[in-house]
Amino acid sequence: MVMTLFGLPTPLGAGIMLTSCVSGAQLSNYATFLTDPTMAPLSIVMTSISTATAVFVTPLLSLLLIGKRLPVDVKGMVSNILQIVISPVAAGLLLNRFLPRISGAIKPFLLPLSVLVTSLCVGAPLAININSVLSPFGLSVLLLVTSFHLSAFIVGYAFTGVAFRIEPEVKPLQRTLSCETGMQSSLLALALANKFFQDPLVRVPPAISVVIMSLMGFSLVMIWAKKTV
C-alpha cells in the first residue's frame, strides 16, 4: 500500500519491510535506564527475547513480506543473524561467567567505549549511503520511516496504558514498552540489506532509521527524565 501510494520502487519497499521485521534495539535498554532505572531489567529481558527469536522470526517475516517481490535467502539470514547478534551476546555471557576477573577489568572502559561505538553506529550508515539517501525518493522514505517509528512509540505507550491501567507503576511501564516498540535494531536490518540484497536502495530505509530512531528515542528520554525528576 505504501509503495503504491508514494510510488516507491520495490527495493525501497523491501528496505522498509526489512526494518520493521528486525528485533528491538539494545539502545532501548539504555534509554529505559536513563528514565526508569528500575525498569531496566525488564527492558533487557524483552530485548533479549526479541533478539533471540529474531534468528528465525526475521528471516521468516522477510520471506513472507519481501519474498514475493525479491529473492530472500532464509538460511543465509539465519546464519548471518547468529554471527552478528547471538555470538557476541553468548561470548559476553561466557566471559562474565567463567572469567570474572577479565570481565571486571574491562568494565570501567565499556561505558566510554559504548558511547563511541554508538556514535559511529548512528552516523556511519547514513554517511556511507548518503548518495542513495539524497535520491529523489529520499524525502518520501524519511517521512515513512519517521511515521513508522512515531506510530510504534505511540502504540507501545498507549496499549500498555490500557492493558496495565490498574498497575501502580503504569507510567514507567508505558515508557519502557514505548522505547521497546519504537526503537528497532536498524543496524541489523542494514547489515542484512548489505549482505543479501544487491540493490543499494534496500539500504536506504534502515540507514535513515538508525538516525531517526536514535533522535526520537533520546528526545523522549530528555522529556521523560525531566518529568520523573
Side-chain angles (χ1 to χ4, degrees):
M1 290 175 62
V2 169
M3 289 169 62
T4 304
L5 181 63
F6 285 85
L8 296 176
T10 298
L12 283 176
I16 292 171
M17 287 188 285
L18 187 61
T19 302
S20 67
C21 289
V22 293
S23 57
Q26 282 75 20
L27 276 178
S28 64
N29 306 150
Y30 187 48
T32 299
F33 175 76
L34 293 176
T35 53
D36 300 284
T38 57
M39 290 290 171
L42 174 63
S43 177
I44 293 171
V45 168
M46 289 190 294
T47 303
S48 300
I49 293 174
S50 68
T51 300
T53 55
V55 175
F56 303 104
V57 173
T58 297
L60 289 176
L61 285 176
S62 299
L63 179 64
L64 291 173
L65 297 175
I66 307 174
K68 293 182 180 180
R69 299 177 181 271
L70 293 173
V72 176
D73 183 2
V74 175
K75 291 183 179 179
M77 278 192 174
V78 170
S79 175
N80 205 243
I81 294 173
L82 281 170
Q83 295 173 33
I84 295 173
V85 178
I86 304 300
S87 297
V89 173
L93 291 173
L94 291 173
L95 180 65
N96 193 55
R97 174 66 178 84
F98 296 105
L99 298 170
R101 290 186 178 180
I102 296 177
S103 179
I106 63 176
K107 277 183 180 179
F109 304 100
L110 293 182
L111 182 57
L113 180 62
S114 65
V115 173
L116 175 62
V117 172
T118 300
S119 301
L120 294 174
C121 288
V122 170
L126 192 62
I128 293 171
N129 297 278
I130 191 63
N131 291 331
S132 299
V133 172
L134 294 177
S135 67
F137 302 102
L139 181 59
S140 297
V141 176
L142 176 62
L143 293 174
L144 285 171
V145 170
T146 302
S147 300
F148 165 68
H149 285 292
L150 180 61
S151 61
F153 278 115
I154 293 173
V155 169
Y157 190 89
F159 178 79
T160 307
V162 172
F164 299 96
R165 59 185 179 277
I166 61 173
E167 294 293 328
E169 294 189 356
V170 65
K171 288 298 180 183
L173 195 58
Q174 283 181 277
R175 292 190 287 265
T176 301
L177 267 294
S178 179
C179 288
E180 198 65 31
T181 55
M183 304 180 80
Q184 300 293 111
S185 186
S186 306
L187 284 174
L188 175 59
L190 183 60
L192 295 176
N194 283 326
K195 179 77 173 179
F196 298 103
F197 298 94
Q198 295 181 350
D199 197 312
L201 288 179
V202 181
R203 308 166 196 163
V204 175
I208 294 177
S209 173
V210 173
V211 179
I212 296 300
M213 170 202 68
S214 302
L215 290 175
M216 294 180 71
F218 286 99
S219 294
L220 286 173
V221 167
M222 288 189 292
I223 294 171
W224 288 335
K226 289 181 180 179
K227 291 185 177 181
T228 55
V229 172

